[in-house]
Amino acid sequence: MRSSLVIAVAAILGGAPRAADAFCGFYVGGADAKMFNNATEVVLMRHGTTTVLSMQNNYQGPPEHFALVVPVPVVMTKAQVKTLPRELFDKVDTLGAPRLVEYWEQDPCRVEVPEEDEAGVDYDRAPMKKMSKSDSDDDTSRKYHVKIEAQFSVGEYDIVVLSATESTGLDHWLRDNKYSIPSGAEPLLRPYIEQGMKFFVAKVDPKKVRFENGMATLSPLRFHYDSPEFSLPIRLGLANSQGTQDLIVNILAPNTRYEVANYPNVTIPTNLNVTDAVRTRFGEFYAALFDHAVSQVPGSVVTEYAWDSGSCDPCPGPTLDGNDLATLGADVMGARYQDASAYTLTRLHARYGKEVSRDLVFRAVAPIAGGRGIPDEHGHMSSEVTKDGTNNFQGRYVILHPWTGAMACPSPRRGGENTGQQIAAKPATNLAFAPRGKVDLSQMVASTLPGTSPLSSTDQPLPIPVRQTAQGCACQTGGNGTASFAGALGVLAIVLRRRRRTI
C-alpha cells in the first residue's frame, strides 16, 4: 500500500515515497527555502525495555544537499545504525492497510459446492565533505556549547553525533553554519536538550537518491535503544507542518497489541457493505470514513489493524516472514531475550494539527477481534469489535454482488458459505493524499454506518522477558537521557543546501 500513512518519528530519517504523514521533527534548509515533511512511515519493534525503531519519510523541498537531525538518548555507534530496503516498509504498510474485498454470490440452487482454489492475490499491485574533527575544538565548544561526539558513514548518509549543553546552542550552531531554522524551533528543541539528548546529524547526497515529484526517497534507517518507557515524540514535527498531518505507527511486539495511553482510542468502523463506486475511489472513501470516526471522538488515535504478523484473512499482500522480522529488529531482540517470537502487528493512525501538545505514550492492551466473517442471507455482517483471546481485528469493506440468475429450487441457499469466493483484497493507498470533502458516505455505504465511541481497553500485563546470557546480549542499557527519552526518537529533519562551507 502506497500510503503508508505511518507515523512519524521515529527512527531516523528515511524517505518514504508513498504516504503523506506526520513527522516528529523539522527540516532546516538554506536560503530560507520552504521545506516540508509530508510523509513518514515508522515501524517500532518493542520487547522488554528494548525498542528498535525503523523509519522512512518523504521530504519535499529543493533537491540540494540536505540532512536530518535526530535527538537520541545516547551517542550512537555505527554498529547500532543500518539502512533498510524501502520495499519492506511497503510490505508492512500493505499488510496492515484497510482492505476492500468483493463477493459474488453463487447459484443459491446448486446442489454441490465444489472445492475451489484459494483466491489468487496480485502482490505485484499489490559528494559531501565530512565534518572535520577540528570543528569540534575548544573554541566551538565554548562558543556554541556543542561538541562532536562521533562521526561515521552508513549508506548514503554521513553521520555526525553532537551534544549540546544549552537550549540555544544547536540553534545558533546551525544558523552560524548557514542553515535556515524554522521559526519557533528553539522552544521545541529545549526540552530534549534539557533531558541530555545527543543529536544525530545525517547528511545526504541527493545524487545517491531518487527524487519523485520533488520528494526525496531515501533509504530507511534503523537503530535501537533501551528505555523503560515506550513513547513517540510528535511535537517537533509541528515546525514543518503545513497544517494537518497524518501519522501512522506500526508496532511489532510478541503477542501484544498496543494503544496510546494519553489520548482516546477508537477502532475504525469495519465490515461495512459499500457500493460499487468505492472500487475506484477506495482511498477517498476511507479518508472520509476515517474523518467521520475522528469527528465523533476528537483527538482520538484510530486502531486500524491488530493481527499476527505471519497471517491475514483476507490478505492484500504477503505476510511478514522471519527475514522481514529480523530486518525490522528481531535480530536485536533475539540477541537480548530468549522468548521474542510470534509478533503481533498493530497499526495506529492519528491526524492532527498545530493544537497537539503531548507526545504519544504507548501501553500494552488486551486483544480484540473484528472485521471478520462472511455475509448472512441478507448480506449483513457484524460490525462489532469484541475482546478476544487473540488479536484478529482489521478494517474491512465489502462490495457484494448478489446472484442475478434464475432460482428454480424451492429453498435457495443465500449468503453464508454460499456467498461466493472473494477476489484479492485491495488495500487503501495514498490516504494522506486522498481528496477530502468530496465523498458522501451515505451514498457509498450500503449498510448502516455504526457510531464511534472510545475504546474501554484494559491493560495487558506483560511477563518479564528472560534476558540472554551476557555473551549473547550486546545491548546497551542506561546512559544519560535514556529514561527521559521516553522510549522514542524525536526526529528533527535538517535540510542542508550545498555550500562552499561544509560541516
Side-chain angles (χ1 to χ4, degrees):
M1 151 175 175
R2 296 183 182 235
S3 114
S4 212
L5 292 183
V6 218
I7 33 216
V9 219
I12 334 188
L13 4 159
R18 306 258 181 185
D21 303 313
F23 185 59
C24 303
F26 60 74
Y27 290 105
V28 181
D32 295 320
K34 296 296 183 181
M35 282 163 265
F36 303 98
N37 180 80
N38 69 345
T40 302
E41 179 169 356
V42 171
V43 179
L44 301 170
M45 184 172 283
R46 177 75 174 183
H47 189 46
T49 59
T50 304
T51 298
V52 181
L53 194 153
S54 305
M55 185 197 80
Q56 66 175 3
N57 67 276
N58 278 353
Y59 155 70
Q60 185 173 358
E64 287 82 5
H65 285 56
F66 66 94
L68 302 168
V69 176
V70 184
V72 294
V74 294
V75 174
M76 292 289 169
T77 65
K78 185 173 183 178
Q80 290 174 274
V81 182
K82 61 170 60 179
T83 58
L84 305 180
R86 291 187 8 250
E87 293 77 10
L88 181 54
F89 281 79
D90 295 339
K91 190 173 182 179
V92 173
D93 187 45
T94 297
L95 182 59
R99 56 213 60 198
L100 176 68
V101 297
E102 298 186 51
Y103 287 101
W104 275 263
E105 186 180 22
Q106 301 175 44
D107 183 354
C109 289
R110 69 177 184 169
V111 177
E112 294 182 1
V113 181
E115 293 185 0
E116 299 179 9
D117 294 333
E118 295 182 358
V121 178
D122 182 6
Y123 295 141
D124 291 336
R125 287 186 342 171
M128 299 179 72
K129 181 181 177 182
K130 291 187 178 181
M131 183 180 293
S132 169
K133 267 293 186 183
S134 63
D135 291 337
S136 61
D137 58 19
D138 291 340
D139 289 341
T140 299
S141 180
R142 284 194 298 267
K143 182 176 180 180
Y144 300 105
H145 301 277
V146 171
K147 179 183 178 182
I148 300 172
E149 301 282 0
Q151 59 185 121
F152 50 89
S153 295
V154 176
E156 67 263 43
Y157 302 95
D158 289 328
I159 296 168
V160 177
V161 182
L162 307 173
S163 60
T165 58
E166 291 186 358
S167 62
T168 58
L170 182 60
D171 183 282
H172 289 322
W173 186 88
L174 290 167
R175 293 181 190 279
D176 288 351
N177 280 275
K178 310 302 181 184
Y179 305 125
S180 176
I181 309 299
S183 61
E186 192 274 333
L188 298 174
L189 281 170
R190 187 181 304 140
Y192 298 101
I193 296 176
E194 291 175 348
Q195 291 170 14
M197 296 278 189
K198 311 302 179 185
F199 292 90
F200 178 103
V201 182
K203 298 199 298 181
V204 182
D205 186 346
K207 292 181 179 179
K208 296 181 181 179
V209 299
R210 260 195 353 262
F211 278 80
E212 297 178 357
N213 300 320
M215 297 181 189
T217 57
L218 308 178
S219 297
L221 279 166
R222 186 197 94 171
F223 61 83
H224 59 269
Y225 53 87
D226 267 72
S227 172
E229 298 180 5
F230 186 25
S231 69
L232 193 64
I234 61 176
R235 289 173 294 171
L236 290 177
L238 300 178
N240 282 103
S241 175
Q242 291 179 289
T244 302
Q245 302 185 65
D246 276 278
L247 167 71
I248 292 183
V249 184
N250 296 295
I251 301 175
L252 287 163
N255 296 309
T256 304
R257 178 175 73 94
Y258 278 90
E259 290 179 352
V260 292
N262 56 340
Y263 286 90
N265 294 273
V266 300
T267 52
I268 195 68
T270 188
N271 263 7
L272 304 183
N273 288 345
V274 297
T275 65
D276 196 66
V278 172
R279 182 189 294 105
T280 57
R281 302 176 69 186
F282 185 34
E284 189 177 356
F285 159 80
Y286 184 80
L289 180 65
F290 177 89
D291 292 346
H292 168 78
V294 173
S295 70
Q296 295 190 318
V297 186
S300 58
V301 175
V302 180
T303 296
E304 296 181 324
Y305 192 78
W307 205 288
D308 184 277
S309 63
S311 66
C312 50
D313 181 22
C315 292
T319 59
L320 301 183
D321 58 31
N323 289 332
D324 298 329
L325 293 172
T327 301
L328 292 168
D331 58 337
V332 173
M333 299 304 183
R336 296 184 178 212
Y337 304 101
Q338 296 181 13
D339 56 350
S341 61
Y343 286 89
T344 293
L345 172 63
T346 303
R347 174 180 164 119
L348 304 176
H349 185 174
R351 185 171 172 84
Y352 59 89
K354 297 238 180 216
E355 76 284 351
V356 66
S357 60
R358 295 169 292 166
D359 294 333
L360 300 181
V361 178
F362 304 107
R363 63 170 182 152
V365 288
I368 57 173
R372 305 197 68 189
I374 53 180
D376 63 17
E377 60 182 15
H378 304 292
H380 297 155
M381 297 170 293
S382 173
S383 59
E384 186 179 5
V385 178
T386 61
K387 295 179 181 178
D388 199 278
T390 303
N391 284 298
N392 283 138
F393 175 80
Q394 62 187 338
R396 185 179 70 153
Y397 310 94
V398 179
I399 299 175
L400 296 177
H401 301 276
W403 175 259
T404 57
M407 290 184 287
C409 59
S411 301
R413 297 174 61 249
R414 309 297 302 272
E417 296 298 332
N418 203 48
T419 296
Q421 192 156 4
Q422 68 185 28
I423 66 167
K426 175 183 179 181
T429 61
N430 291 323
L431 297 181
F433 295 111
R436 280 180 149 84
K438 298 181 179 180
V439 165
D440 183 351
L441 288 176
S442 66
Q443 299 298 313
M444 287 191 156
V445 177
S447 55
T448 302
L449 184 63
T452 304
S453 58
L455 284 171
S456 56
S457 302
T458 55
D459 289 349
Q460 179 76 14
L462 297 179
I464 299 175
V466 179
R467 285 270 184 173
Q468 297 282 20
T469 57
Q471 62 266 28
C473 177
C475 47
Q476 180 180 17
T477 58
N480 293 337
T482 301
S484 60
F485 181 63
L489 298 176
V491 179
L492 258 133
I494 295 202
V495 185
L496 314 169
R497 298 188 54 137
R498 183 194 298 271
R499 297 181 175 281
R500 295 178 184 174
R501 183 178 183 179
T502 58
I503 13 176

